[in-house]
Amino acid sequence: MDAKHATAIPTPNSTGEVVTLVDKRTGNEVQLPVLSGTSGPDVIDIRKLYAETGYFTFDPGYTSTGSCASNITYIDGDVGILRYRGYAIDELAEKSDFLEIAYLILYGELPSAAEKEKFEQDIMQHTMLNQQIITFYNGFRRDAHPMAVMCGVVGALSAFYHDHLDIFDETDRMIASDRLIAKMPTIAAYAYKYTVGQPFMYPKNGLGYAENFLHMTFATPCEDYKVNPVLARALDRLFILHADHEQNASTSTVRIAGSSHANPFACIAAGIASLWGPAHGGANEAVLNMLTEIGTKDRIPEFIKRARDKDDPFRLFGFGHRVYKNYDPRAKIVQESCHEVLNELGIKDEPLLEVAMELERIALEDEYFVERKLYPNVDFYSGIIYKAMGFPTSMFTALFAIARTVGWIAHWNEMIADPVQKIGRPRQLFTGAADRPFVPIEKRG
Ligand code: ACO
């Protein structure tokens, strides 16, 4: 644990203003304080609302609800800003590397050279899996989805690391964090190896984080395998872009799971499950399947028509975002990376890229997408890169999970350290049957 950069507690400030609500039924007034952070909209503090008025708020999907205060990531979706700990994503993607970003996200500051070296060593010394964990894989079908394997294996890690599981001990939390960040690539690579029937490759701790993952995935014991540095850098950059995204569905899942003081391995397994859905992390796999289904540029209008059709549940995967109502800043970087990777691999005229670029061009001009501010998101181009690197589509969301583990664990740490944290327990607006007597079975119609 780095004492200099211990987890800071988020501290919202009172603006001194209040919002006054008048209950027309009773004539009672309640004054709700307004809090501010360092950036972004102020919030109305409704923690005393129920006690003082007897009302709950109603906000399915949390579109107007701040669930916590946080110091980690800031997004301004209207103008396309994403910052980790105050640093703009494009600058980080260009100048930094994934483990440095992991340190930044976890501890709040960029590391000194000595801190960076120590952190890298701390992570890389935990890359191996306990040999008994490896036997778990044999219990899965060969065609198991890697995300199913990851949910199971990550959840099972808690059965192996009782030694440092005191969640109220900061050092124990950091050891669990290091273990998760370190082992996630090994777990994902082994999920792939198991599917293709190749031997598991042990981690090589002298390699970089993304480089080691590519090695564990694509090397075999039969021949020397040299990781292409352009691909390692591109993957490292994708990991940076996916490392955190404030209170998205999977991160909120991790926070809620952790709010009951569940152990971190169980909480991250819950995050993986949430990420898997096609409306969230599973979109990268869904995008590639969609582009493959479209196949050629001339079929794009047919799919745009379906996306616009209210009676058709079809959506253009890789388009739209709950927060970004402008171009996703990560999507721009991924698009550049996509060209670099295809050039490096000598892939000319990749039909999927052609379909993607034309789809983007048409959608950005189409009234339906313009009106709803639907822009390509981070996952619109990432799948093309992963495919070019040799990953099957089923691995795409697993790659996302590797990177997002950093954000999940940082939020989990921040929440546990926050003295205002309570068990996550939303309320509801009950619309079911009111009180009614039990009817014996012989009297039911
Ligand atoms: N294709 C077509 N129409 C869309 C799309 C899309 N991809 N996304 C949103 N819309 C439409 C909706 O039908 C709705 O139209 P309406 O107002 O006429 O009813 C309007 O845009 C608003 O959509 P909502 O679903 O209310 O927006 P929400 O913020 O809840 O959803 C989401 C965001 C889930 C990302 C959505 O845009 C979507 O499903 N996109 C496709 C899946 C995807 O790419 N997910 C990845 C997100 S990024 C990530 O998790 C890493």
Side-chain angles (χ1 to χ4, degrees):
M1 174 63 204
D2 188 321
K4 187 175 126 199
H5 295 154
T7 319
I9 310 291
T11 46
N13 293 312
S14 168
T15 59
E17 292 159 24
V18 290
V19 169
T20 305
L21 290 185
V22 182
D23 184 347
K24 286 196 171 161
R25 292 192 298 198
T26 59
N28 291 345
E29 278 191 4
V30 58
Q31 303 214 315
L32 301 170
V34 176
L35 306 179
S36 69
T38 44
S39 311
D42 292 344
V43 301
I44 304 171
D45 180 352
I46 59 162
R47 279 174 289 181
K48 294 199 174 126
L49 184 73
Y50 177 61
E52 295 191 5
T53 67
Y55 288 115
F56 294 137
T57 56
F58 182 61
D59 187 20
Y62 311 118
T63 52
S64 299
T65 296
S67 59
C68 60
S70 178
N71 292 339
I72 301 172
T73 290
Y74 176 69
I75 304 172
D76 184 338
D78 291 330
V79 284
I81 286 177
L82 168 61
R83 297 186 200 122
Y84 298 156
R85 303 285 191 182
Y87 298 98
I89 191 66
D90 41 354
E91 211 180 351
L92 294 175
E94 188 194 329
K95 299 178 183 163
S96 189
D97 61 69
F98 180 67
L99 282 186
E100 185 170 69
I101 297 303
Y103 186 100
L104 172 70
I105 289 177
L106 278 170
Y107 296 114
E109 300 295 336
L110 287 167
S112 66
E115 285 164 342
K116 184 168 191 257
E117 195 185 332
K118 171 155 187 329
F119 182 69
E120 285 170 357
Q121 280 169 3
D122 287 349
I123 297 293
M124 295 316 275
Q125 72 171 352
H126 286 296
T127 52
M128 275 206 299
L129 297 183
N130 183 300
Q131 206 60 24
Q132 276 169 278
I133 295 178
I134 295 176
T135 60
F136 277 28
Y137 284 79
N138 289 328
F140 289 99
R141 282 170 51 134
R142 288 276 170 197
D143 59 356
H145 195 287
M147 289 296 277
V149 176
M150 288 187 80
C151 286
V153 175
V154 172
L157 290 179
S158 38
F160 288 84
Y161 299 110
H162 298 290
D163 52 341
H164 292 286
L165 265 188
D166 178 358
I167 63 163
F168 298 109
D169 181 291
E170 203 159 14
T171 306
D172 269 17
R173 289 208 300 274
M174 281 308 148
I175 292 171
S177 307
D178 289 353
R179 281 181 165 146
L180 275 156
I181 296 168
K183 293 184 196 306
M184 206 59 86
T186 316
I187 294 169
Y190 287 8
Y192 169 75
K193 285 297 199 198
Y194 183 71
T195 304
V196 292
Q198 289 179 1
F200 295 162
M201 295 296 291
Y202 284 116
K204 276 193 165 184
N205 293 353
L207 298 180
Y209 189 84
E211 201 182 5
N212 179 46
F213 174 64
L214 286 169
H215 185 268
M216 287 188 291
T217 306
F218 296 119
T220 66
C222 318
E223 10 184 289
D224 288 336
Y225 179 84
K226 172 116 185 48
V227 177
N228 180 326
V230 175
L231 302 194
R233 174 68 192 133
L235 186 61
D236 193 79
R237 196 180 294 136
L238 280 162
F239 285 166
I240 293 174
L241 299 178
H242 286 89
D244 192 41
H245 215 231
E246 52 116 309
Q247 311 309 323
N248 55 85
S250 56
T251 302
S252 298
T253 302
V254 170
R255 276 186 178 259
I256 289 243
S259 75
S260 72
H261 302 162
N263 75 69
F265 302 105
C267 297
I268 300 304
I272 294 171
S274 170
L275 184 74
W276 193 359
H280 189 13
N284 55 14
E285 182 177 346
V287 169
L288 208 87
N289 293 338
M290 177 190 77
L291 293 176
T292 310
E293 196 189 341
I294 296 176
T296 49
K297 289 195 271 186
D298 56 304
R299 292 194 63 209
I300 291 174
E302 181 192 322
F303 284 81
I304 297 264
K305 194 171 160 221
R306 281 188 64 196
R308 297 170 59 134
D309 182 354
K310 284 266 158 244
D311 299 324
D312 188 333
F314 174 79
R315 287 194 164 191
L316 276 190
F317 285 103
F319 273 82
H321 197 275
R322 169 58 62 78
V323 183
Y324 293 117
K325 300 303 169 196
N326 199 316
Y327 212 96
D328 180 341
R330 302 168 299 174
K332 282 187 193 146
I333 306 168
V334 181
Q335 195 199 43
E336 282 163 27
S337 247
C338 189
H339 289 290
E340 267 169 44
V341 166
L342 296 183
N343 276 343
E344 172 65 20
L345 295 174
I347 302 174
K348 293 202 173 63
D349 309 324
E350 163 58 75
L352 291 180
L353 181 63
E354 283 180 21
V355 172
M357 289 177 63
E358 183 64 3
L359 184 62
E360 176 183 347
R361 190 189 66 74
I362 295 175
L364 290 182
E365 286 172 1
D366 187 280
E367 189 191 329
Y368 174 93
F369 288 83
V370 174
E371 265 176 15
R372 288 167 182 73
K373 301 187 177 168
L374 298 170
Y375 291 88
N377 59 45
V378 64
D379 285 324
F380 189 61
Y381 287 102
S382 63
I384 298 175
I385 304 184
Y386 296 146
K387 178 174 179 275
M389 286 177 175
F391 290 103
T393 44
S394 60
M395 276 297 285
F396 294 0
T397 315
L399 296 167
F400 193 158
I402 293 173
R404 185 54 60 84
T405 296
V406 166
W408 289 331
I409 205 74
H411 281 272
W412 173 79
N413 266 295
E414 187 179 64
M415 179 198 60
I416 299 288
D418 189 343
V420 305
Q421 182 267 329
K422 281 176 184 292
I423 188 165
R425 176 53 169 97
R427 302 304 300 263
Q428 63 173 6
L429 178 62
F430 181 68
T431 55
D435 190 24
R436 48 181 175 164
F438 179 79
V439 182
I441 196 158
E442 61 280 7
K443 295 201 173 153
R444 291 175 211 158

